[in-house]
Amino acid sequence: VEIFGKQAFLPLLSLANNNSEATECKYTRVAERCDEAGRAILLIDYHKEGSDFSDSSLLQSAWFTIHQALREESVQKKGVVVYVRCLKSIRDWRMHLCKDVIHSLTGILPVRLAGFHLINPPPLHAGVISLFKKMMGREMGRRVYIHSGSVDENLMSLSKFGLGRVEMYPSIFGGQLGFE
């Protein structure tokens, strides 16, 4: 009710079709295919926090994306992998929104999170990343990984998680994986 207001008890798919701002913002997106283990691959684009989209639209986008990913039975069993496109500027960070998204992913929505992979975060964001990990809790904080470098260096780092192929690396970072 807090997130969707009066429409909270309607099916999420019908809400997604009726909420143009939440679906247009593309704050979170699901990849066009799962990885080899059957996990959905999601992208959270923190660049969108510097836009004019409302916090509620960005949060609803996360809910719609998770719901879309969970339609696959393998995702219900194996979970999701999340790629994170980090903020351009620390001034754009919406800490309350970040907290709400993390709370939804770790405590409300029935989804198993295999890992959060932050790609090429600016060096000055170390404090924000540390706070981000604390907000997630001890168990989930251990599933946050930072990958910094060239495409090849990041693919090598991601290979430890079964994601080291260019086909499994988002196009936004120089790979070939597209998102719906």
Side-chain angles (χ1 to χ4, degrees):
V1 177
E2 186 176 315
I3 295 169
F4 291 98
K6 298 174 187 175
Q7 299 177 332
F9 299 102
L10 295 175
L12 271 180
L13 288 178
S14 68
L15 287 175
N17 293 334
N18 295 332
N19 191 331
S20 61
E21 185 173 288
T23 53
E24 286 175 16
C25 72
K26 298 188 186 303
Y27 180 59
T28 55
R29 294 185 288 165
V30 64
E32 55 197 21
R33 63 181 171 272
C34 292
D35 71 0
E36 291 173 354
R39 302 173 298 188
I41 300 174
L42 306 182
L43 173 69
I44 297 178
D45 188 354
Y46 282 117
H47 282 202
K48 301 296 183 181
E49 291 190 18
S51 67
D52 291 332
F53 292 112
S54 69
D55 284 4
S56 63
S57 290
L58 296 175
L59 181 59
Q60 288 173 9
S61 171
W63 278 61
F64 294 150
T65 302
I66 293 291
H67 182 73
Q68 180 182 0
L70 287 172
R71 292 191 297 187
E72 295 287 330
E73 187 175 337
S74 69
V75 174
Q76 294 171 26
K77 293 177 181 177
K78 302 289 185 174
V80 299
V81 172
V82 180
Y83 282 108
V84 178
R85 184 178 186 204
C86 296
L87 294 163
K88 290 182 198 176
S89 169
I90 198 70
R91 288 177 283 146
D92 294 334
W93 189 36
R94 301 184 196 181
M95 187 172 162
H96 184 67
L97 172 63
C98 182
K99 184 178 175 183
D100 287 345
V101 170
I102 290 168
H103 181 67
S104 294
L105 293 174
T106 60
I108 297 175
L109 294 169
V111 63
R112 181 185 181 283
L113 295 171
F116 273 77
H117 299 274
L118 286 77
I119 307 298
N120 296 325
L124 297 175
H125 290 187
V128 172
I129 293 168
S130 177
L131 185 58
F132 174 77
K133 289 172 81 167
K134 287 180 183 173
M135 287 173 21
M136 295 183 86
R138 186 171 179 224
E139 181 69 26
M140 280 309 304
R142 286 190 265 165
R143 295 182 189 169
V144 175
Y145 308 98
I146 298 171
H147 308 278
S148 294
S150 67
V151 171
D152 289 335
E153 290 169 330
N154 286 344
L155 289 174
M156 180 69 78
S157 178
L158 287 161
S159 66
K160 295 179 249 178
F161 309 98
L163 301 167
R165 295 187 3 254
V166 72
E167 297 85 17
M168 290 289 110
Y169 194 58
S171 57
I172 199 167
F173 302 124
Q176 297 176 355
L177 184 63
F179 288 80
E180 296 176 3

